[in-house]
Each structure stands twice: as structure tokens, then as C-alpha cells.
Amino acid sequence: MTAHPGGPAAAASVAADSLAVVVEGPGTHRLVAHEPRDPGPGEALVGVHATGICGSDREVYQGNRPEGYVRYPLTPGHEWSGTVLRVGAGVPASLTGRKVVGEGFRNCQVCDRCHAGETTLCSAGYEETGFTRPGAMAATLTLPARLLHVLPDEADLTAAALLEPAACIAAAALKANAVPGERVAVVGTGTLGMFAVQFLRAHSPAELLVVGSRDDREALSRRYGATDFRTKDRQLPDDFDVVIETAGSADAARTAASLLRRGGRLVLTGIPAPGADGLDPTDLVVRQLEVHTVFGAAPDAWAHTVRVFAAGLLDPLPLVTHELPLADFSRAIELVGSGDPAVGKVLLRP
């Protein structure tokens, strides 16, 4: 049997001085001593390697998260990677020592939507790691083992910390259902946009256009497989088969729709501010556009992401620009909201 790097022999106990971030309420947080919670039946205790910060974490800190989608006080952290340290009753002991990532949505498993595999639509209500349940901005995370996805032994855990946003885009790519030879496009050049380029590139498109607001993202877009790059102020085509929007603004959604041919397929992943002007329903009907939306990632999208990552078709590391200790949570939040083009993905390392 192959030994697992970071396996049982390497799974050292958590340091006595380990920390966790607790956001008490909007604009208020503290660092506290972290005590790992032993896994109960069906659970696993994971030693956190790295935790990513995204705009939704900033919303949690600022108090802009929609009502019902956050519960204070809270340890944030829904993007993470780590190694299983211990497992509870009913969980295979062979999981101990494995490198893993994990789904965030805590679905009930028994409603109609869960049985259909649509766990992000669970009728029992919204529960998610890092928003309503303790997250990974701590030395360890205890969660249901059924949510874990095992990575290859050789997986880079720093890169794997970005697989949660990648899974959300995998959900979009699956809904887009692009086939080889189609003309596809991505609107948005942030982390989600760059993952969308990689997923769509894997479908061998005839053309892959990226539309953004910054010229400095062209090189990375082309590195990931884009065949054309344009800023949104330039003349844009209107005959693409598939467009995935990742920028999170109403303007980006309208731009994405304008790129499509009649009968084209649009997938929206960004969440604009409430009340924003949306797409023109007359345009959608007359052009017979097929519109999908994505919020989170169901198990099939997670499994797809891990397979694509294991096959070497996803390269998250170039997106990481900052790695900070957990104690620098405040600075990390500032970096994410700075608007500095030199800031990409920010990771915290317990």
C-alpha cells in the first residue's frame, strides 16, 4: 500500500498555541485559542493547510451578507484544503492521512432536491461551512466526512485551496454543456473567470474569447487557453454559442447576453447588488436564449473539479498572489477589497 504524504505518522497534534478567527459581528473580529473538536459519528477532523478569502468573506466581515446567509459569531472560511487527522465512528479509517477538500453546503440528504443531487437547493434551508457553520480560518475543521473529496497523494495543497471556487465554475461549465467546436466566451477576469477559461478550454472550443475590464489580464487569459481577449469597451461579437459570466455585476450580465447568437446558452455566476437592473426579458424571449444560474457547487461539480485537477487540467497556483498567517486576517480582508490589480487570490495559512 502506498504511503500517503502527511499521513498518520505525519499527522502531528495541533499546536497548543494555534488560533482561530472569530467574526463577532459586522466589522468586529478577534483571534482566539483554537481547540479542535473531536469528530463524532460520521465526521472527520481535518488539519487545515490553507484557506482562501473571497468577496463573500469580505461581505461577512462588513455585514453585507444577505439575511439568512450568515450567522454570527462565526469562524469564516469556505475555501480550504487540508489533511484528515482523525475520523469518527462509521467513517473508514483509511481516510486518515489523506489530502482532502470539502463541500460547503450542509444538505439534509432526504428532501427531493437532495435526492435529485441538487444539494445547493436543499429544501431544509441554507447551511454552509464558513457562513452559518464554523469554517476553516482555524487550525482544524470538523465536518461530515461525506462532504470530503479525496485528492491524489501528490496533490499540491496550496493549489487545492482554490478548488471551492473552481467547483462553482465547474457547476457553470456543466450547465453550459459546451461541446467541441463551439464558440465560447467568458466575461470576467478574476479567479472565477480564469477557472471558467480552463474548464471551457478542456472542451476543445473553436474559439475562446475572454472579455474583461483590464488589459493586464490578457496574458494570463491566453496562458489558460483564451484565443482572443477584449476589454468590454471594445467592439464585441454577437454570435457565440456559450457564455459564462463571472464578474458579478448587472453590466457584466448584459454584456454576456449580448455576446450570444440566437438560441445561445448563458450561465450567470456573479451576484450583483440587490435591485440591480437585470437582463431584458424581451431580448431573452425574442432571441430564445437559454439562461442558467449557479450558486455554490453540488457534489457532481465537486467530483468533476477534483478529476480535472487530478488530471493536471486546472492550474490554480498562478492565481495566488499573497499567503499570510492567520493572525493577519485584517490585512487579508483589506487586500481583497483594495482594488489593487496586483492582488489576486489571498490565502491564510494556519
Side-chain angles (χ1 to χ4, degrees), residues 11 16 19 95 134 194 228 242 250:
L19 299 174
L95 193 60
M194 295 301 96
D228 191 9
V242 171

Side-chain angles (χ1 to χ4, degrees), residues 80-82 99-103 147-151 160-161 163 302 306:
W80 58 270
S81 64
K99 296 178 178 179
V100 294
V101 290
E103 299 174 31
L147 299 178
L148 298 178
H149 289 261
V150 177
L151 302 172
L163 292 188
W302 272 97
V306 170

Side-chain angles (χ1 to χ4, degrees), residues 14-69:
V14 179
D17 59 350
S18 60
L19 299 174
V21 173
V22 174
V23 177
E24 298 285 2
T28 304
H29 82 282
R30 59 194 175 98
L31 296 171
V32 301
H34 176 68
E35 290 292 336
R37 181 173 71 79
D38 281 336
E43 293 185 322
L45 172 69
V46 176
V48 177
H49 173 82
T51 305
I53 297 181
C54 81
S56 55
D57 295 304
R58 195 161 178 266
E59 289 175 355
V60 167
Y61 186 65
Q62 293 182 323
N64 298 329
R65 187 84 171 158
E67 185 177 355
Y69 288 84

Side-chain angles (χ1 to χ4, degrees), residues 14 18-21 34-40 42-52 74-88 95 98 100-106 128-149 161 164 302 326 350:
V14 179
S18 60
L19 299 174
V21 173
H34 176 68
E35 290 292 336
R37 181 173 71 79
D38 281 336
E43 293 185 322
L45 172 69
V46 176
V48 177
H49 173 82
T51 305
L74 172 72
T75 293
H78 62 287
E79 305 177 3
W80 58 270
S81 64
T83 303
V84 177
L85 302 178
R86 293 195 295 277
V87 297
L95 193 60
R98 298 305 304 267
V100 294
V101 290
E103 299 174 31
F105 281 75
R106 305 293 187 92
E128 186 176 3
T129 299
F131 295 107
T132 64
R133 301 289 185 93
M137 291 188 190
T140 70
L141 174 64
T142 303
L143 74 168
R146 62 182 172 80
L147 299 178
L148 298 178
H149 289 261
E164 191 277 341
W302 272 97
L326 204 59

